[in-house]
Tab-separated table of all heavy atoms in Angstrom:
chain	number	residue	atom	x	y	z
A	5	LEU	N	82.409	88.606	69.614
A	5	LEU	CA	83.841	88.653	69.262
A	5	LEU	C	84.254	90.092	69.033
A	5	LEU	O	83.602	90.825	68.291
A	5	LEU	CB	84.121	87.827	67.999
A	5	LEU	CG	85.613	87.759	67.647
A	5	LEU	CD1	86.355	86.831	68.614
A	5	LEU	CD2	85.826	87.298	66.212
A	6	ASP	N	85.359	90.468	69.652
A	6	ASP	CA	85.910	91.807	69.499
A	6	ASP	C	86.906	91.773	68.338
A	6	ASP	O	88.087	91.442	68.539
A	6	ASP	CB	86.643	92.135	70.815
A	6	ASP	CG	86.416	93.543	71.294
A	6	ASP	OD1	85.748	94.308	70.601
A	6	ASP	OD2	86.921	93.865	72.378
A	7	SER	N	86.449	92.066	67.140
A	7	SER	CA	87.333	91.967	65.971
A	7	SER	C	86.612	92.524	64.751
A	7	SER	O	85.388	92.509	64.696
A	7	SER	CB	87.678	90.492	65.700
A	7	SER	OG	88.454	90.355	64.530
A	8	ALA	N	87.417	92.973	63.769
A	8	ALA	CA	86.834	93.339	62.472
A	8	ALA	C	87.442	92.471	61.373
A	8	ALA	O	87.286	92.766	60.192
A	8	ALA	CB	87.072	94.820	62.192
A	9	LYS	N	88.170	91.405	61.791
A	9	LYS	CA	88.794	90.517	60.806
A	9	LYS	C	87.824	89.408	60.435
A	9	LYS	O	87.422	88.616	61.310
A	9	LYS	CB	90.079	89.920	61.382
A	9	LYS	CG	91.190	90.946	61.596
A	9	LYS	CD	92.430	90.274	62.148
A	9	LYS	CE	93.522	91.312	62.374
A	9	LYS	NZ	94.626	90.802	63.193
A	10	LEU	N	87.508	89.322	59.137
A	10	LEU	CA	86.509	88.343	58.696
A	10	LEU	C	86.895	86.904	58.990
A	10	LEU	O	86.047	86.091	59.349
A	10	LEU	CB	86.294	88.476	57.183
A	10	LEU	CG	85.216	89.439	56.713
A	10	LEU	CD1	84.949	89.226	55.239
A	10	LEU	CD2	83.920	89.271	57.516
A	11	ASP	N	88.210	86.593	58.829
A	11	ASP	CA	88.609	85.201	59.095
A	11	ASP	C	88.377	84.846	60.566
A	11	ASP	O	87.932	83.747	60.887
A	11	ASP	CB	90.062	84.936	58.657
A	11	ASP	CG	91.069	85.853	59.336
A	11	ASP	OD1	90.674	86.923	59.853
A	11	ASP	OD2	92.265	85.500	59.373
A	12	GLU	N	88.628	85.799	61.469
A	12	GLU	CA	88.402	85.539	62.899
A	12	GLU	C	86.913	85.417	63.198
A	12	GLU	O	86.483	84.554	63.968
A	12	GLU	CB	88.982	86.672	63.749
A	12	GLU	CG	90.490	86.696	63.779
A	12	GLU	CD	91.047	87.698	64.806
A	12	GLU	OE1	90.267	88.456	65.431
A	12	GLU	OE2	92.267	87.708	64.964
A	13	ILE	N	86.120	86.293	62.586
A	13	ILE	CA	84.665	86.265	62.821
A	13	ILE	C	84.105	84.920	62.356
A	13	ILE	O	83.351	84.248	63.065
A	13	ILE	CB	83.974	87.447	62.095
A	13	ILE	CG1	84.434	88.787	62.701
A	13	ILE	CG2	82.453	87.315	62.161
A	13	ILE	CD1	84.002	90.022	61.920
A	14	ASP	N	84.533	84.514	61.154
A	14	ASP	CA	84.042	83.264	60.585
A	14	ASP	C	84.457	82.073	61.461
A	14	ASP	O	83.649	81.197	61.776
A	14	ASP	CB	84.605	83.122	59.162
A	14	ASP	CG	83.907	82.032	58.399
A	14	ASP	OD1	82.693	82.161	58.161
A	14	ASP	OD2	84.565	81.017	58.083
A	15	TYR	N	85.717	82.065	61.892
A	15	TYR	CA	86.223	80.965	62.733
A	15	TYR	C	85.454	80.910	64.068
A	15	TYR	O	85.007	79.849	64.500
A	15	TYR	CB	87.722	81.162	62.994
A	15	TYR	CG	88.338	80.071	63.816
A	15	TYR	CD1	88.900	78.938	63.209
A	15	TYR	CD2	88.349	80.138	65.213
A	15	TYR	CE1	89.442	77.920	63.970
A	15	TYR	CE2	88.884	79.118	65.976
A	15	TYR	CZ	89.442	78.016	65.359
A	15	TYR	OH	89.973	77.020	66.123
A	16	ALA	N	85.314	82.074	64.699
A	16	ALA	CA	84.668	82.110	66.018
A	16	ALA	C	83.190	81.726	65.916
A	16	ALA	O	82.632	81.107	66.828
A	16	ALA	CB	84.811	83.492	66.641
A	17	TYR	N	82.557	82.057	64.804
A	17	TYR	CA	81.143	81.695	64.614
A	17	TYR	C	81.006	80.184	64.420
A	17	TYR	O	80.176	79.534	65.057
A	17	TYR	CB	80.570	82.458	63.412
A	17	TYR	CG	79.123	82.127	63.144
A	17	TYR	CD1	78.135	82.449	64.073
A	17	TYR	CD2	78.749	81.483	61.967
A	17	TYR	CE1	76.808	82.118	63.843
A	17	TYR	CE2	77.426	81.159	61.727
A	17	TYR	CZ	76.459	81.474	62.660
A	17	TYR	OH	75.147	81.148	62.429
A	18	ARG	N	81.868	79.638	63.552
A	18	ARG	CA	81.774	78.199	63.268
A	18	ARG	C	82.184	77.356	64.475
A	18	ARG	O	81.596	76.328	64.769
A	18	ARG	CB	82.665	77.824	62.072
A	18	ARG	CG	82.027	78.156	60.725
A	18	ARG	CD	82.848	77.674	59.546
A	18	ARG	NE	84.130	78.348	59.451
A	18	ARG	CZ	85.294	77.795	59.746
A	18	ARG	NH1	85.355	76.545	60.159
A	18	ARG	NH2	86.421	78.484	59.630
A	19	THR	N	83.248	77.805	65.172
A	19	THR	CA	83.801	76.980	66.251
A	19	THR	C	83.085	77.178	67.578
A	19	THR	O	82.725	76.212	68.251
A	19	THR	CB	85.298	77.309	66.439
A	19	THR	OG1	85.924	77.219	65.161
A	19	THR	CG2	85.963	76.337	67.403
A	20	PHE	N	82.902	78.427	67.957
A	20	PHE	CA	82.361	78.695	69.299
A	20	PHE	C	80.906	79.172	69.274
A	20	PHE	O	80.322	79.392	70.339
A	20	PHE	CB	83.225	79.747	70.016
A	20	PHE	CG	84.657	79.296	70.214
A	20	PHE	CD1	85.711	80.040	69.723
A	20	PHE	CD2	84.937	78.118	70.883
A	20	PHE	CE1	87.028	79.628	69.903
A	20	PHE	CE2	86.251	77.689	71.069
A	20	PHE	CZ	87.294	78.448	70.578
A	21	GLY	N	80.361	79.384	68.072
A	21	GLY	CA	78.971	79.841	67.990
A	21	GLY	C	78.768	81.218	68.599
A	21	GLY	O	77.766	81.453	69.286
A	22	ILE	N	79.721	82.108	68.360
A	22	ILE	CA	79.573	83.464	68.917
A	22	ILE	C	78.244	84.074	68.468
A	22	ILE	O	77.717	83.750	67.403
A	22	ILE	CB	80.746	84.393	68.528
A	22	ILE	CG1	80.969	84.353	67.022
A	22	ILE	CG2	81.976	84.078	69.339
A	22	ILE	CD1	81.536	85.616	66.476
A	23	ASP	N	77.751	84.977	69.299
A	23	ASP	CA	76.397	85.526	69.094
A	23	ASP	C	76.383	86.893	68.426
A	23	ASP	O	75.314	87.432	68.146
A	23	ASP	CB	75.711	85.654	70.466
A	23	ASP	CG	75.710	84.342	71.224
A	23	ASP	OD1	74.919	83.460	70.864
A	23	ASP	OD2	76.524	84.178	72.163
A	24	GLY	N	77.556	87.490	68.237
A	24	GLY	CA	77.614	88.824	67.634
A	24	GLY	C	79.066	89.298	67.605
A	24	GLY	O	79.976	88.558	68.001
A	25	VAL	N	79.238	90.532	67.151
A	25	VAL	CA	80.592	91.084	66.982
A	25	VAL	C	80.605	92.520	67.489
A	25	VAL	O	79.606	93.237	67.371
A	25	VAL	CB	80.990	91.045	65.476
A	25	VAL	CG1	82.210	91.905	65.189
A	25	VAL	CG2	81.252	89.602	65.028
A	26	THR	N	81.728	92.903	68.087
A	26	THR	CA	81.928	94.323	68.408
A	26	THR	C	83.197	94.775	67.698
A	26	THR	O	84.208	94.068	67.716
A	26	THR	CB	82.103	94.547	69.929
A	26	THR	OG1	83.065	93.629	70.424
A	26	THR	CG2	80.800	94.351	70.677
A	27	THR	N	83.103	95.919	67.069
A	27	THR	CA	84.305	96.492	66.453
A	27	THR	C	84.563	97.839	67.120
A	27	THR	O	83.714	98.373	67.834
A	27	THR	CB	84.133	96.705	64.935
A	27	THR	OG1	83.188	97.753	64.723
A	27	THR	CG2	83.655	95.442	64.238
A	28	ASN	N	85.739	98.340	66.897
A	28	ASN	CA	86.064	99.709	67.303
A	28	ASN	C	87.105	100.214	66.304
A	28	ASN	O	87.582	99.425	65.464
A	28	ASN	CB	86.528	99.771	68.771
A	28	ASN	CG	87.828	99.031	69.024
A	28	ASN	OD1	88.655	98.864	68.126
A	28	ASN	ND2	88.030	98.571	70.246
A	29	PRO	N	87.475	101.488	66.329
A	29	PRO	CA	88.410	102.003	65.320
A	29	PRO	C	89.737	101.234	65.299
A	29	PRO	O	90.348	101.058	64.240
A	29	PRO	CB	88.615	103.467	65.740
A	29	PRO	CG	87.330	103.810	66.431
A	29	PRO	CD	86.931	102.561	67.172
A	30	LYS	N	90.147	100.715	66.468
A	30	LYS	CA	91.400	99.957	66.526
A	30	LYS	C	91.262	98.626	65.778
A	30	LYS	O	92.154	98.239	65.004
A	30	LYS	CB	91.751	99.702	67.999
A	30	LYS	CG	93.205	99.413	68.250
A	30	LYS	CD	93.462	99.228	69.737
A	30	LYS	CE	92.988	97.858	70.199
A	30	LYS	NZ	93.047	97.667	71.652
A	31	HIS	N	90.137	97.957	65.969
A	31	HIS	CA	89.946	96.679	65.279
A	31	HIS	C	89.824	96.886	63.772
A	31	HIS	O	90.290	96.054	62.991
A	31	HIS	CB	88.707	95.954	65.816
A	31	HIS	CG	88.866	95.514	67.238
A	31	HIS	ND1	89.957	94.808	67.677
A	31	HIS	CD2	88.095	95.706	68.326
A	31	HIS	CE1	89.850	94.573	68.969
A	31	HIS	NE2	88.723	95.123	69.393
A	32	ILE	N	89.175	97.966	63.368
A	32	ILE	CA	89.069	98.234	61.924
A	32	ILE	C	90.472	98.471	61.361
A	32	ILE	O	90.839	97.919	60.316
A	32	ILE	CB	88.170	99.463	61.647
A	32	ILE	CG1	86.752	99.239	62.189
A	32	ILE	CG2	88.188	99.819	60.155
A	32	ILE	CD1	85.815	98.408	61.355
A	33	MET	N	91.285	99.257	62.052
A	33	MET	CA	92.661	99.510	61.600
A	33	MET	C	93.408	98.179	61.450
A	33	MET	O	94.084	97.938	60.450
A	33	MET	CB	93.375	100.415	62.605
A	33	MET	CG	94.826	100.691	62.287
A	33	MET	SD	95.686	101.377	63.715
A	33	MET	CE	95.849	99.952	64.768
A	34	LEU	N	93.246	97.282	62.452
A	34	LEU	CA	93.969	95.999	62.419
A	34	LEU	C	93.472	95.075	61.302
A	34	LEU	O	94.167	94.131	60.930
A	34	LEU	CB	93.848	95.292	63.778
A	34	LEU	CG	94.585	95.985	64.930
A	34	LEU	CD1	94.247	95.328	66.271
A	34	LEU	CD2	96.101	95.972	64.712
Side-chain angles (χ1 to χ4, degrees):
L5 184 74
D6 222 357
S7 176
K9 292 181 181 166
L10 270 192
D11 58 340
E12 289 189 355
I13 295 170
D14 193 64
Y15 181 91
Y17 179 65
R18 280 185 295 107
T19 309
F20 299 123
I22 51 151
D23 305 285
V25 166
T26 49
T27 69
N28 65 26
K30 202 178 77 187
H31 293 310
I32 300 280
M33 177 195 74
L34 292 172

